[in-house]
Amino acid sequence: MAERPEDLNLPNAVITRIIKEALPDGVNISKEARSAISRAASVFVLYATSCANNFAMKGKRKTLNASDVLSAMEEMEFQRFVAPLKESLEVYRREQKGKKEARKDKDKKTDSEEQDKSREEENDDDDERMEEEEQNEEEEVDN
């Protein structure tokens, strides 16, 4: 667990970026307000994690999963977040699936290229052996 309460705060750069994206252009926010938002966000994350952990414990699991978080949002009466979270989760899963397939395709392509390279090297080795044999035969004929 965290040694100091400050360790539980989200990074200031992240908080600042989120605030800037949420506010219209030209609106400034004080350092104190940014700090308060950071603390509130940290408390929210800790509370959501605690509620999600309760669902995992009910399921006799030690690992939190997405359904635990979604259930926690409903229990915390943040139902309006459930639909956007589900959409984000689906997007994330599609991206991960696409990355996994791309990695498989890349691995297959790499394997194919390595096989082609091996064949070329074998052919080169065969060519070199044949040249050496021809030279040896010529030397034997000359002797």
Side-chain angles (χ1 to χ4, degrees):
M1 190 77 188
E3 295 177 16
R4 301 173 296 164
E6 298 86 38
D7 293 342
L8 300 174
N9 290 340
L10 299 170
N12 286 331
V14 173
I15 296 297
T16 302
R17 183 170 24 99
I18 292 171
I19 292 170
K20 284 184 179 181
E21 289 175 4
L23 295 175
D25 290 337
V27 176
N28 294 322
I29 186 164
S30 71
K31 190 174 183 179
E32 290 175 348
R34 199 171 31 246
S35 176
I37 291 171
S38 176
R39 284 191 216 117
S42 296
V43 168
F44 176 78
V45 169
L46 289 170
Y47 181 50
T49 303
S50 176
C51 288
N53 188 48
N54 290 339
F55 283 100
M57 287 173 42
K58 286 177 187 174
K60 298 179 182 177
R61 293 179 282 110
K62 291 185 178 182
T63 303
L64 300 181
N65 59 36
S67 64
D68 297 328
V69 174
L70 294 171
S71 298
M73 289 294 129
E74 290 177 3
E75 182 176 298
M76 294 167 33
E77 298 182 7
F78 284 102
Q79 289 88 352
R80 69 179 204 197
F81 291 140
V82 173
L85 284 172
K86 284 182 179 179
E87 290 174 17
S88 296
L89 181 60
E90 283 302 313
V91 168
Y92 172 78
R93 286 178 175 162
R94 281 194 300 268
E95 287 175 357
Q96 293 302 310
K97 187 176 181 180
K99 287 180 182 178
K100 188 175 182 179
E101 289 173 359
R103 194 170 29 250
K104 282 183 181 178
D105 290 344
K106 183 180 176 184
D107 289 346
K108 285 181 183 178
K109 185 178 178 183
T110 303
D111 289 346
S112 175
E113 288 174 355
E114 287 176 3
Q115 288 175 352
D116 290 346
K117 189 176 180 181
S118 288
R119 286 187 197 122
E120 288 176 10
E121 288 175 357
E122 287 175 8
N123 288 339
D124 289 345
D125 289 345
D126 289 344
D127 290 345
E128 288 176 13
R129 274 189 234 116
M130 288 177 65
E131 287 176 11
E132 287 177 11
E133 288 175 3
E134 288 175 2
Q135 287 177 352
N136 289 340
E137 288 176 1
E138 287 177 4
E139 289 175 2
E140 287 177 6
V141 169
D142 289 341
N143 289 337

